[in-house]
Amino acid sequence: MSIREEMELREHKILSPYASFSDESAGRQQEEVPCDIRPVFQRDRDRILHSRAFRRLKNKTQVFLTPKGDHYRTRMSHTLEVSQNARTIAKALRLNEDLAEAVALGHDLGHTPFGHAGEFVLNRLCEGGFKHNEQSVRIVEKLEKHGKGLNLTWEVRDGIRNHQMSSMPATLEGKIVRLSDKIAYISHDVDDAIRAKILCEEDIPAQYRKILGTNVRMRLNTLIHNIITNSMGKDDILMSQEVEQAMQGLRQYMFKNLYHNPKAKREEKKAEELLERLFEYYLKRPEKMPEQFTDMIRKGERADRTVCDYIAGMTDQYAIAKFNEYYVPVQWQV
């Protein structure tokens, strides 16, 4: 018996009956020889962690564009915080921690440079629209490894696709990530807003602070404990009505007072214009893109869809560098 098989048997002894078991996965799009050490979800986690798209997250905006300071979150640090939240909850509920971690690490791979401002631009320019969750799936299915994809299991791809509030994953582990994502950004975006002096702790409405806590640590503790307590022994991931309403209220407050705040978003129009100009440039000159993307067009992929793929994969700095290369005279560049 291989180490992998021993680990799969151990899952059936230790995990909750509601867990997703590695040896019961719906499988991959292309069959492959199983690893002799790692169960399928652990293998998926490793593939995501070693992917190029994952590494690029470190230089993609979370909320603040090019912030002055080393401690503001990036898309990478957000992803790691989501992963930690998800692992904590999954472990406490005796669910599949490897699956939760794989979904968490992959959920934002499709985010554009400059955060949601970039997503807004590509959604407007690309026929059929652009959504970062669908792009994340496209990356792991088609774009990574020079067009081969990562060949992840169905459960991981389902969790990545359905991590937004408007949809619902098929597994409990995916549902954990869906909530862990909200918990992470509500908590750390408040922290970054306080650091940027856009908000202070006392600005948060008293009714939310009373229920969730009066600082970032307390709110994380409240939300994670509430999910664990209300989901224990159940075939669902739940929160109490009081805490869930407070979390949604705080989320709405953040949209109004941070995500749409002119101080946080004053550079976004410039970023949107920059990406729109890049889109127009590559649509007229697709040969300027790397060979992987020109090959996709030659094989029948729509040009606008392929340009979106290329731009969405850029880091903030790379997009700025390309804009300068194409549009700013050399003598003017700093």
Side-chain angles (χ1 to χ4, degrees), residues 53 56 60 109-113 122 126 129-132 134-140 142-144 147 279 282 289-290 292-294 296-297 301-315 318:
R56 290 195 296 268
K60 290 193 176 190
L109 292 178
H111 254 297
T112 62
L122 295 188
C126 187
F130 180 96
K131 296 181 178 179
H132 79 269
E134 295 291 345
Q135 187 68 14
S136 297
V137 176
R138 184 170 168 85
I139 285 171
V140 300
K142 187 167 186 175
L143 299 180
E144 268 293 320
F279 181 88
Y282 289 121
M289 294 189 294
Q292 174 187 349
F293 298 95
T294 56
M296 288 169 61
I297 294 174
E301 191 72 66
R302 289 199 335 262
D304 66 321
R305 175 72 259 181
T306 307
V307 171
C308 276
D309 288 335
Y310 182 45
I311 292 176
M314 293 179 175
T315 63
Y318 188 76

mmCIF file of all heavy atoms in Angstrom, residues 53 56 60 109-113 122 126 129-132 134-140 142-144 147 279 282 289-290 292-294 296-297 301-315 318:
data_model
loop_
_atom_site.group_PDB
_atom_site.id
_atom_site.type_symbol
_atom_site.label_atom_id
_atom_site.label_comp_id
_atom_site.label_asym_id
_atom_site.label_seq_id
_atom_site.Cartn_x
_atom_site.Cartn_y
_atom_site.Cartn_z
ATOM 1 N N ALA A 53 0.891 32.028 -12.187
ATOM 2 C CA ALA A 53 -0.198 32.951 -11.845
ATOM 3 C C ALA A 53 -0.222 33.239 -10.353
ATOM 4 O O ALA A 53 -0.498 34.378 -9.940
ATOM 5 C CB ALA A 53 -1.536 32.360 -12.297
ATOM 6 N N ARG A 56 2.477 35.781 -9.376
ATOM 7 C CA ARG A 56 2.202 37.154 -9.804
ATOM 8 C C ARG A 56 1.277 37.899 -8.839
ATOM 9 O O ARG A 56 1.219 39.127 -8.866
ATOM 10 C CB ARG A 56 1.595 37.160 -11.213
ATOM 11 C CG ARG A 56 2.573 36.768 -12.312
ATOM 12 C CD ARG A 56 2.049 37.135 -13.683
ATOM 13 N NE ARG A 56 0.842 36.434 -14.040
ATOM 14 C CZ ARG A 56 0.794 35.277 -14.708
ATOM 15 N NH1 ARG A 56 1.923 34.674 -15.070
ATOM 16 N NH2 ARG A 56 -0.361 34.717 -15.019
ATOM 17 N N LYS A 60 -0.002 42.397 -7.370
ATOM 18 C CA LYS A 60 -1.321 42.842 -7.833
ATOM 19 C C LYS A 60 -2.055 43.525 -6.687
ATOM 20 O O LYS A 60 -1.974 43.098 -5.535
ATOM 21 C CB LYS A 60 -2.146 41.662 -8.358
ATOM 22 C CG LYS A 60 -1.622 41.088 -9.676
ATOM 23 C CD LYS A 60 -2.632 40.163 -10.312
ATOM 24 C CE LYS A 60 -2.151 39.673 -11.671
ATOM 25 N NZ LYS A 60 -3.216 38.959 -12.418
ATOM 26 N N LEU A 109 -6.688 33.759 -8.602
ATOM 27 C CA LEU A 109 -5.653 33.731 -9.640
ATOM 28 C C LEU A 109 -6.024 34.595 -10.841
ATOM 29 O O LEU A 109 -5.154 35.132 -11.521
ATOM 30 C CB LEU A 109 -5.424 32.284 -10.124
ATOM 31 C CG LEU A 109 -4.793 31.295 -9.141
ATOM 32 C CD1 LEU A 109 -4.696 29.922 -9.788
ATOM 33 C CD2 LEU A 109 -3.422 31.775 -8.672
ATOM 34 N N GLY A 110 -7.310 34.736 -11.101
ATOM 35 C CA GLY A 110 -7.758 35.472 -12.290
ATOM 36 C C GLY A 110 -7.916 36.959 -12.103
ATOM 37 O O GLY A 110 -8.381 37.650 -13.025
ATOM 38 N N HIS A 111 -7.544 37.480 -10.938
ATOM 39 C CA HIS A 111 -7.687 38.920 -10.732
ATOM 40 C C HIS A 111 -6.736 39.697 -11.632
ATOM 41 O O HIS A 111 -5.602 39.288 -11.896
ATOM 42 C CB HIS A 111 -7.428 39.287 -9.275
ATOM 43 C CG HIS A 111 -8.688 39.635 -8.540
ATOM 44 N ND1 HIS A 111 -9.473 40.715 -8.889
ATOM 45 C CD2 HIS A 111 -9.313 39.053 -7.499
ATOM 46 C CE1 HIS A 111 -10.517 40.777 -8.083
ATOM 47 N NE2 HIS A 111 -10.445 39.774 -7.225
ATOM 48 N N THR A 112 -7.211 40.838 -12.078
ATOM 49 C CA THR A 112 -6.480 41.700 -12.997
ATOM 50 C C THR A 112 -5.482 42.571 -12.246
ATOM 51 O O THR A 112 -5.527 42.674 -11.021
ATOM 52 C CB THR A 112 -7.474 42.634 -13.703
ATOM 53 O OG1 THR A 112 -8.094 43.454 -12.693
ATOM 54 C CG2 THR A 112 -8.545 41.850 -14.439
ATOM 55 N N PRO A 113 -4.591 43.255 -12.960
ATOM 56 C CA PRO A 113 -3.828 44.326 -12.309
ATOM 57 C C PRO A 113 -4.792 45.426 -11.863
ATOM 58 O O PRO A 113 -5.868 45.597 -12.439
ATOM 59 C CB PRO A 113 -2.885 44.821 -13.415
ATOM 60 C CG PRO A 113 -3.514 44.390 -14.697
ATOM 61 C CD PRO A 113 -4.241 43.115 -14.384
ATOM 62 N N LEU A 122 -11.997 45.366 -18.158
ATOM 63 C CA LEU A 122 -12.026 44.204 -19.044
ATOM 64 C C LEU A 122 -13.441 43.664 -19.218
ATOM 65 O O LEU A 122 -13.791 43.166 -20.297
ATOM 66 C CB LEU A 122 -11.095 43.111 -18.502
ATOM 67 C CG LEU A 122 -9.602 43.464 -18.468
ATOM 68 C CD1 LEU A 122 -8.778 42.240 -18.095
ATOM 69 C CD2 LEU A 122 -9.120 44.033 -19.803
ATOM 70 N N CYS A 126 -14.428 43.315 -23.121
ATOM 71 C CA CYS A 126 -14.395 41.955 -23.677
ATOM 72 C C CYS A 126 -15.804 41.471 -23.997
ATOM 73 O O CYS A 126 -16.702 41.539 -23.137
ATOM 74 C CB CYS A 126 -13.720 41.004 -22.691
ATOM 75 S SG CYS A 126 -13.465 39.347 -23.366
ATOM 76 N N GLY A 129 -18.118 39.677 -21.513
ATOM 77 C CA GLY A 129 -17.780 40.109 -20.163
ATOM 78 C C GLY A 129 -16.550 39.433 -19.589
ATOM 79 O O GLY A 129 -15.935 38.557 -20.210
ATOM 80 N N PHE A 130 -16.198 39.856 -18.395
ATOM 81 C CA PHE A 130 -15.017 39.334 -17.702
ATOM 82 C C PHE A 130 -15.316 39.287 -16.216
ATOM 83 O O PHE A 130 -15.717 40.288 -15.620
ATOM 84 C CB PHE A 130 -13.800 40.226 -17.963
ATOM 85 C CG PHE A 130 -12.541 39.762 -17.285
ATOM 86 C CD1 PHE A 130 -11.612 38.993 -17.963
ATOM 87 C CD2 PHE A 130 -12.294 40.070 -15.952
ATOM 88 C CE1 PHE A 130 -10.449 38.549 -17.334
ATOM 89 C CE2 PHE A 130 -11.147 39.645 -15.315
ATOM 90 C CZ PHE A 130 -10.224 38.880 -16.008
ATOM 91 N N LYS A 131 -15.145 38.118 -15.609
ATOM 92 C CA LYS A 131 -15.301 37.948 -14.164
ATOM 93 C C LYS A 131 -14.064 37.230 -13.635
ATOM 94 O O LYS A 131 -13.636 36.228 -14.208
ATOM 95 C CB LYS A 131 -16.554 37.137 -13.838
ATOM 96 C CG LYS A 131 -17.851 37.810 -14.237
ATOM 97 C CD LYS A 131 -19.056 36.942 -13.864
ATOM 98 C CE LYS A 131 -20.367 37.629 -14.226
ATOM 99 N NZ LYS A 131 -21.545 36.782 -13.880
ATOM 100 N N HIS A 132 -13.518 37.741 -12.534
ATOM 101 C CA HIS A 132 -12.240 37.192 -12.078
ATOM 102 C C HIS A 132 -12.359 35.737 -11.630
ATOM 103 O O HIS A 132 -11.400 34.967 -11.764
ATOM 104 C CB HIS A 132 -11.652 38.064 -10.963
ATOM 105 C CG HIS A 132 -12.270 37.841 -9.624
ATOM 106 N ND1 HIS A 132 -13.348 38.555 -9.158
ATOM 107 C CD2 HIS A 132 -11.938 36.966 -8.628
ATOM 108 C CE1 HIS A 132 -13.662 38.139 -7.944
ATOM 109 N NE2 HIS A 132 -12.832 37.185 -7.599
ATOM 110 N N GLU A 134 -14.312 33.403 -12.987
ATOM 111 C CA GLU A 134 -14.279 32.592 -14.209
ATOM 112 C C GLU A 134 -12.880 32.605 -14.821
ATOM 113 O O GLU A 134 -12.418 31.594 -15.368
ATOM 114 C CB GLU A 134 -15.297 33.127 -15.212
ATOM 115 C CG GLU A 134 -16.748 33.000 -14.774
ATOM 116 C CD GLU A 134 -17.231 31.546 -14.740
ATOM 117 O OE1 GLU A 134 -16.558 30.681 -15.317
ATOM 118 O OE2 GLU A 134 -18.276 31.293 -14.119
ATOM 119 N N GLN A 135 -12.195 33.736 -14.721
ATOM 120 C CA GLN A 135 -10.829 33.811 -15.240
ATOM 121 C C GLN A 135 -9.892 32.919 -14.443
ATOM 122 O O GLN A 135 -8.968 32.317 -15.006
ATOM 123 C CB GLN A 135 -10.339 35.263 -15.220
ATOM 124 C CG GLN A 135 -8.986 35.479 -15.888
ATOM 125 C CD GLN A 135 -9.030 35.267 -17.395
ATOM 126 O OE1 GLN A 135 -10.102 35.201 -17.990
ATOM 127 N NE2 GLN A 135 -7.866 35.170 -18.016
ATOM 128 N N SER A 136 -10.117 32.817 -13.142
ATOM 129 C CA SER A 136 -9.298 31.920 -12.315
ATOM 130 C C SER A 136 -9.420 30.481 -12.811
ATOM 131 O O SER A 136 -8.421 29.760 -12.896
ATOM 132 C CB SER A 136 -9.732 32.005 -10.847
ATOM 133 O OG SER A 136 -9.522 33.291 -10.317
ATOM 134 N N VAL A 137 -10.640 30.071 -13.135
ATOM 135 C CA VAL A 137 -10.847 28.723 -13.667
ATOM 136 C C VAL A 137 -10.181 28.588 -15.038
ATOM 137 O O VAL A 137 -9.549 27.568 -15.342
ATOM 138 C CB VAL A 137 -12.347 28.392 -13.757
ATOM 139 C CG1 VAL A 137 -12.568 27.026 -14.412
ATOM 140 C CG2 VAL A 137 -12.979 28.409 -12.362
ATOM 141 N N ARG A 138 -10.306 29.613 -15.860
ATOM 142 C CA ARG A 138 -9.685 29.584 -17.192
ATOM 143 C C ARG A 138 -8.164 29.437 -17.085
ATOM 144 O O ARG A 138 -7.537 28.730 -17.881
ATOM 145 C CB ARG A 138 -10.057 30.868 -17.941
ATOM 146 C CG ARG A 138 -9.576 30.936 -19.374
ATOM 147 C CD ARG A 138 -10.216 32.139 -20.077
ATOM 148 N NE ARG A 138 -9.594 32.415 -21.362
ATOM 149 C CZ ARG A 138 -9.919 31.827 -22.498
ATOM 150 N NH1 ARG A 138 -10.856 30.892 -22.509
ATOM 151 N NH2 ARG A 138 -9.314 32.148 -23.630
ATOM 152 N N ILE A 139 -7.593 30.078 -16.095
ATOM 153 C CA ILE A 139 -6.144 29.972 -15.888
ATOM 154 C C ILE A 139 -5.743 28.540 -15.578
ATOM 155 O O ILE A 139 -4.803 28.004 -16.173
ATOM 156 C CB ILE A 139 -5.695 30.933 -14.771
ATOM 157 C CG1 ILE A 139 -5.682 32.377 -15.280
ATOM 158 C CG2 ILE A 139 -4.300 30.560 -14.251
ATOM 159 C CD1 ILE A 139 -5.470 33.408 -14.201
ATOM 160 N N VAL A 140 -6.441 27.907 -14.633
ATOM 161 C CA VAL A 140 -6.029 26.563 -14.223
ATOM 162 C C VAL A 140 -6.419 25.501 -15.248
ATOM 163 O O VAL A 140 -5.819 24.429 -15.288
ATOM 164 C CB VAL A 140 -6.598 26.197 -12.833
ATOM 165 C CG1 VAL A 140 -6.104 27.184 -11.782
ATOM 166 C CG2 VAL A 140 -8.116 26.114 -12.828
ATOM 167 N N LYS A 142 -6.683 26.261 -18.761
ATOM 168 C CA LYS A 142 -6.210 26.499 -20.127
ATOM 169 C C LYS A 142 -4.934 27.300 -20.249
ATOM 170 O O LYS A 142 -4.145 27.059 -21.175
ATOM 171 C CB LYS A 142 -7.327 27.210 -20.908
ATOM 172 C CG LYS A 142 -7.045 27.368 -22.384
ATOM 173 C CD LYS A 142 -8.290 27.788 -23.140
ATOM 174 C CE LYS A 142 -8.011 27.802 -24.647
ATOM 175 N NZ LYS A 142 -9.229 28.103 -25.430
ATOM 176 N N LEU A 143 -4.695 28.257 -19.363
ATOM 177 C CA LEU A 143 -3.615 29.206 -19.593
ATOM 178 C C LEU A 143 -2.293 28.826 -18.940
ATOM 179 O O LEU A 143 -1.228 29.149 -19.475
ATOM 180 C CB LEU A 143 -4.037 30.603 -19.118
ATOM 181 C CG LEU A 143 -5.257 31.196 -19.826
ATOM 182 C CD1 LEU A 143 -5.577 32.571 -19.262
ATOM 183 C CD2 LEU A 143 -5.047 31.263 -21.333
ATOM 184 N N GLU A 144 -2.340 28.196 -17.776
ATOM 185 C CA GLU A 144 -1.089 27.835 -17.103
ATOM 186 C C GLU A 144 -0.323 26.771 -17.900
ATOM 187 O O GLU A 144 -0.886 26.055 -18.714
ATOM 188 C CB GLU A 144 -1.372 27.311 -15.694
ATOM 189 C CG GLU A 144 -1.336 28.377 -14.614
ATOM 190 C CD GLU A 144 0.051 28.979 -14.386
ATOM 191 O OE1 GLU A 144 1.043 28.236 -14.409
ATOM 192 O OE2 GLU A 144 0.125 30.210 -14.167
ATOM 193 N N GLY A 147 -0.508 26.753 -21.851
ATOM 194 C CA GLY A 147 -1.705 26.268 -22.524
ATOM 195 C C GLY A 147 -2.159 24.893 -22.108
ATOM 196 O O GLY A 147 -3.233 24.438 -22.527
ATOM 197 N N PHE A 279 -5.382 47.451 -24.055
ATOM 198 C CA PHE A 279 -6.317 46.568 -24.762
ATOM 199 C C PHE A 279 -6.404 46.964 -26.233
ATOM 200 O O PHE A 279 -6.323 46.112 -27.134
ATOM 201 C CB PHE A 279 -7.694 46.641 -24.091
ATOM 202 C CG PHE A 279 -8.728 45.750 -24.720
ATOM 203 C CD1 PHE A 279 -8.880 44.437 -24.303
ATOM 204 C CD2 PHE A 279 -9.555 46.228 -25.740
ATOM 205 C CE1 PHE A 279 -9.837 43.616 -24.881
ATOM 206 C CE2 PHE A 279 -10.508 45.413 -26.325
ATOM 207 C CZ PHE A 279 -10.648 44.110 -25.897
ATOM 208 N N TYR A 282 -3.038 46.016 -28.143
ATOM 209 C CA TYR A 282 -2.842 44.596 -28.454
ATOM 210 C C TYR A 282 -3.892 44.074 -29.423
ATOM 211 O O TYR A 282 -3.634 43.139 -30.189
ATOM 212 C CB TYR A 282 -2.831 43.763 -27.174
ATOM 213 C CG TYR A 282 -1.593 43.974 -26.340
ATOM 214 C CD1 TYR A 282 -1.696 44.431 -25.030
ATOM 215 C CD2 TYR A 282 -0.326 43.717 -26.838
ATOM 216 C CE1 TYR A 282 -0.568 44.630 -24.245
ATOM 217 C CE2 TYR A 282 0.805 43.912 -26.078
ATOM 218 C CZ TYR A 282 0.686 44.368 -24.784
ATOM 219 O OH TYR A 282 1.813 44.567 -24.022
ATOM 220 N N MET A 289 2.078 40.425 -28.413
ATOM 221 C CA MET A 289 1.898 39.569 -27.247
ATOM 222 C C MET A 289 2.824 38.359 -27.339
ATOM 223 O O MET A 289 3.320 38.013 -28.411
ATOM 224 C CB MET A 289 0.441 39.097 -27.148
ATOM 225 C CG MET A 289 -0.567 40.205 -26.885
ATOM 226 S SD MET A 289 -2.233 39.574 -26.521
ATOM 227 C CE MET A 289 -2.673 38.829 -28.098
ATOM 228 N N PRO A 290 3.079 37.672 -26.210
ATOM 229 C CA PRO A 290 3.909 36.469 -26.251
ATOM 230 C C PRO A 290 3.320 35.395 -27.164
ATOM 231 O O PRO A 290 2.116 35.387 -27.457
ATOM 232 C CB PRO A 290 3.909 36.003 -24.790
ATOM 233 C CG PRO A 290 3.665 37.237 -23.998
ATOM 234 C CD PRO A 290 2.733 38.068 -24.837
ATOM 235 N N GLN A 292 2.506 32.330 -26.829
ATOM 236 C CA GLN A 292 1.374 31.532 -26.340
ATOM 237 C C GLN A 292 0.041 32.147 -26.736
ATOM 238 O O GLN A 292 -0.897 31.435 -27.130
ATOM 239 C CB GLN A 292 1.442 31.401 -24.815
ATOM 240 C CG GLN A 292 0.218 30.694 -24.219
ATOM 241 C CD GLN A 292 0.214 30.714 -22.699
ATOM 242 O OE1 GLN A 292 1.206 31.067 -22.056
ATOM 243 N NE2 GLN A 292 -0.888 30.323 -22.100
ATOM 244 N N PHE A 293 -0.061 33.471 -26.693
ATOM 245 C CA PHE A 293 -1.326 34.143 -26.956
ATOM 246 C C PHE A 293 -1.565 34.310 -28.453
ATOM 247 O O PHE A 293 -2.710 34.198 -28.918
ATOM 248 C CB PHE A 293 -1.349 35.482 -26.231
ATOM 249 C CG PHE A 293 -1.254 35.330 -24.736
ATOM 250 C CD1 PHE A 293 -0.029 35.419 -24.090
ATOM 251 C CD2 PHE A 293 -2.372 35.051 -23.973
ATOM 252 C CE1 PHE A 293 0.068 35.254 -22.717
ATOM 253 C CE2 PHE A 293 -2.288 34.878 -22.603
ATOM 254 C CZ PHE A 293 -1.072 34.976 -21.972
ATOM 255 N N THR A 294 -0.511 34.562 -29.220
ATOM 256 C CA THR A 294 -0.703 34.618 -30.672
ATOM 257 C C THR A 294 -1.084 33.245 -31.218
ATOM 258 O O THR A 294 -1.875 33.145 -32.149
ATOM 259 C CB THR A 294 0.563 35.141 -31.366
ATOM 260 O OG1 THR A 294 1.689 34.328 -31.007
ATOM 261 C CG2 THR A 294 0.853 36.584 -30.951
ATOM 262 N N MET A 296 -2.901 31.067 -29.631
ATOM 263 C CA MET A 296 -4.313 30.894 -29.288
ATOM 264 C C MET A 296 -5.206 31.527 -30.351
ATOM 265 O O MET A 296 -6.226 30.955 -30.749
ATOM 266 C CB MET A 296 -4.603 31.497 -27.917
ATOM 267 C CG MET A 296 -4.022 30.712 -26.763
ATOM 268 S SD MET A 296 -4.112 31.599 -25.175
ATOM 269 C CE MET A 296 -5.891 31.796 -24.976
ATOM 270 N N ILE A 297 -4.813 32.710 -30.844
ATOM 271 C CA ILE A 297 -5.602 33.383 -31.882
ATOM 272 C C ILE A 297 -5.548 32.584 -33.174
ATOM 273 O O ILE A 297 -6.562 32.405 -33.858
ATOM 274 C CB ILE A 297 -5.094 34.821 -32.084
ATOM 275 C CG1 ILE A 297 -5.339 35.657 -30.830
ATOM 276 C CG2 ILE A 297 -5.787 35.471 -33.295
ATOM 277 C CD1 ILE A 297 -4.751 37.052 -30.881
ATOM 278 N N GLU A 301 -9.128 31.160 -31.160
ATOM 279 C CA GLU A 301 -9.616 31.927 -30.018
ATOM 280 C C GLU A 301 -9.867 33.369 -30.450
ATOM 281 O O GLU A 301 -9.119 33.926 -31.253
ATOM 282 C CB GLU A 301 -8.574 31.898 -28.894
ATOM 283 C CG GLU A 301 -9.067 32.443 -27.573
ATOM 284 C CD GLU A 301 -10.049 31.541 -26.872
ATOM 285 O OE1 GLU A 301 -9.656 30.433 -26.466
ATOM 286 O OE2 GLU A 301 -11.229 31.948 -26.740
ATOM 287 N N ARG A 302 -10.941 33.966 -29.944
ATOM 288 C CA ARG A 302 -11.235 35.359 -30.268
ATOM 289 C C ARG A 302 -10.095 36.258 -29.819
ATOM 290 O O ARG A 302 -9.529 36.083 -28.737
ATOM 291 C CB ARG A 302 -12.518 35.819 -29.580
ATOM 292 C CG ARG A 302 -13.799 35.243 -30.103
ATOM 293 C CD ARG A 302 -15.023 36.080 -29.702
ATOM 294 N NE ARG A 302 -14.822 36.864 -28.515
ATOM 295 C CZ ARG A 302 -15.233 36.511 -27.293
ATOM 296 N NH1 ARG A 302 -15.819 35.343 -27.106
ATOM 297 N NH2 ARG A 302 -15.050 37.309 -26.255
ATOM 298 N N ALA A 303 -9.797 37.257 -30.634
ATOM 299 C CA ALA A 303 -8.680 38.156 -30.323
ATOM 300 C C ALA A 303 -8.943 38.935 -29.037
ATOM 301 O O ALA A 303 -8.046 39.089 -28.200
ATOM 302 C CB ALA A 303 -8.434 39.110 -31.486
ATOM 303 N N ASP A 304 -10.171 39.436 -28.844
ATOM 304 C CA ASP A 304 -10.443 40.233 -27.656
ATOM 305 C C ASP A 304 -10.343 39.379 -26.388
ATOM 306 O O ASP A 304 -9.857 39.836 -25.352
ATOM 307 C CB ASP A 304 -11.805 40.913 -27.747
ATOM 308 C CG ASP A 304 -12.972 39.939 -27.730
ATOM 309 O OD1 ASP A 304 -12.858 38.867 -28.349
ATOM 310 O OD2 ASP A 304 -13.996 40.256 -27.094
ATOM 311 N N ARG A 305 -10.771 38.118 -26.491
ATOM 312 C CA ARG A 305 -10.679 37.223 -25.332
ATOM 313 C C ARG A 305 -9.219 36.935 -24.984
ATOM 314 O O ARG A 305 -8.835 36.912 -23.808
ATOM 315 C CB ARG A 305 -11.408 35.920 -25.676
ATOM 316 C CG ARG A 305 -11.336 34.800 -24.648
ATOM 317 C CD ARG A 305 -12.169 35.112 -23.441
ATOM 318 N NE ARG A 305 -11.341 35.590 -22.354
ATOM 319 C CZ ARG A 305 -11.806 35.927 -21.172
ATOM 320 N NH1 ARG A 305 -13.100 35.873 -20.940
ATOM 321 N NH2 ARG A 305 -11.002 36.332 -20.239
ATOM 322 N N THR A 306 -8.389 36.757 -26.000
ATOM 323 C CA THR A 306 -6.977 36.471 -25.785
ATOM 324 C C THR A 306 -6.245 37.691 -25.233
ATOM 325 O O THR A 306 -5.382 37.555 -24.352
ATOM 326 C CB THR A 306 -6.323 36.012 -27.104
ATOM 327 O OG1 THR A 306 -7.078 34.927 -27.643
ATOM 328 C CG2 THR A 306 -4.897 35.559 -26.866
ATOM 329 N N VAL A 307 -6.587 38.870 -25.720
ATOM 330 C CA VAL A 307 -5.991 40.098 -25.181
ATOM 331 C C VAL A 307 -6.362 40.246 -23.708
ATOM 332 O O VAL A 307 -5.526 40.620 -22.877
ATOM 333 C CB VAL A 307 -6.431 41.326 -25.993
ATOM 334 C CG1 VAL A 307 -6.002 42.618 -25.301
ATOM 335 C CG2 VAL A 307 -5.845 41.270 -27.402
ATOM 336 N N CYS A 308 -7.603 39.938 -23.363
ATOM 337 C CA CYS A 308 -8.022 39.969 -21.954
ATOM 338 C C CYS A 308 -7.200 38.992 -21.127
ATOM 339 O O CYS A 308 -6.792 39.311 -19.999
ATOM 340 C CB CYS A 308 -9.501 39.630 -21.836
ATOM 341 S SG CYS A 308 -10.602 41.027 -22.097
ATOM 342 N N ASP A 309 -6.965 37.799 -21.651
ATOM 343 C CA ASP A 309 -6.156 36.811 -20.940
ATOM 344 C C ASP A 309 -4.770 37.366 -20.630
ATOM 345 O O ASP A 309 -4.253 37.211 -19.516
ATOM 346 C CB ASP A 309 -6.002 35.536 -21.779
ATOM 347 C CG ASP A 309 -7.283 34.722 -21.858
ATOM 348 O OD1 ASP A 309 -8.126 34.836 -20.950
ATOM 349 O OD2 ASP A 309 -7.431 33.957 -22.841
ATOM 350 N N TYR A 310 -4.162 38.002 -21.631
ATOM 351 C CA TYR A 310 -2.809 38.522 -21.460
ATOM 352 C C TYR A 310 -2.781 39.673 -20.462
ATOM 353 O O TYR A 310 -1.963 39.687 -19.524
ATOM 354 C CB TYR A 310 -2.259 38.969 -22.812
ATOM 355 C CG TYR A 310 -0.835 39.493 -22.762
ATOM 356 C CD1 TYR A 310 0.151 38.819 -22.042
ATOM 357 C CD2 TYR A 310 -0.481 40.656 -23.441
ATOM 358 C CE1 TYR A 310 1.458 39.297 -21.997
ATOM 359 C CE2 TYR A 310 0.814 41.131 -23.410
ATOM 360 C CZ TYR A 310 1.780 40.457 -22.679
ATOM 361 O OH TYR A 310 3.072 40.930 -22.639
ATOM 362 N N ILE A 311 -3.683 40.622 -20.623
ATOM 363 C CA ILE A 311 -3.697 41.784 -19.731
ATOM 364 C C ILE A 311 -4.064 41.379 -18.311
ATOM 365 O O ILE A 311 -3.469 41.869 -17.333
ATOM 366 C CB ILE A 311 -4.662 42.864 -20.264
ATOM 367 C CG1 ILE A 311 -4.115 43.453 -21.570
ATOM 368 C CG2 ILE A 311 -4.875 43.964 -19.233
ATOM 369 C CD1 ILE A 311 -5.039 44.455 -22.235
ATOM 370 N N ALA A 312 -5.031 40.493 -18.155
ATOM 371 C CA ALA A 312 -5.456 40.067 -16.814
ATOM 372 C C ALA A 312 -4.311 39.417 -16.051
ATOM 373 O O ALA A 312 -4.253 39.493 -14.816
ATOM 374 C CB ALA A 312 -6.637 39.104 -16.912
ATOM 375 N N GLY A 313 -3.402 38.781 -16.756
ATOM 376 C CA GLY A 313 -2.283 38.119 -16.103
ATOM 377 C C GLY A 313 -1.160 39.058 -15.692
ATOM 378 O O GLY A 313 -0.249 38.655 -14.961
ATOM 379 N N MET A 314 -1.212 40.298 -16.136
ATOM 380 C CA MET A 314 -0.138 41.251 -15.825
ATOM 381 C C MET A 314 -0.167 41.654 -14.351
ATOM 382 O O MET A 314 -1.219 41.746 -13.736
ATOM 383 C CB MET A 314 -0.276 42.512 -16.680
ATOM 384 C CG MET A 314 -0.059 42.312 -18.156
ATOM 385 S SD MET A 314 -0.269 43.894 -19.051
ATOM 386 C CE MET A 314 0.201 43.387 -20.711
ATOM 387 N N THR A 315 0.987 41.942 -13.800
ATOM 388 C CA THR A 315 1.067 42.618 -12.505
ATOM 389 C C THR A 315 0.867 44.109 -12.733
ATOM 390 O O THR A 315 0.933 44.603 -13.870
ATOM 391 C CB THR A 315 2.422 42.389 -11.837
ATOM 392 O OG1 THR A 315 3.451 42.966 -12.676
ATOM 393 C CG2 THR A 315 2.709 40.905 -11.644
ATOM 394 N N TYR A 318 4.049 45.557 -14.338
ATOM 395 C CA TYR A 318 4.266 45.153 -15.735
ATOM 396 C C TYR A 318 3.331 45.930 -16.667
ATOM 397 O O TYR A 318 3.746 46.358 -17.753
ATOM 398 C CB TYR A 318 4.046 43.653 -15.885
ATOM 399 C CG TYR A 318 4.432 43.104 -17.237
ATOM 400 C CD1 TYR A 318 5.769 42.914 -17.559
ATOM 401 C CD2 TYR A 318 3.468 42.777 -18.182
ATOM 402 C CE1 TYR A 318 6.132 42.405 -18.808
ATOM 403 C CE2 TYR A 318 3.817 42.273 -19.413
ATOM 404 C CZ TYR A 318 5.149 42.090 -19.721
ATOM 405 O OH TYR A 318 5.503 41.589 -20.962
#
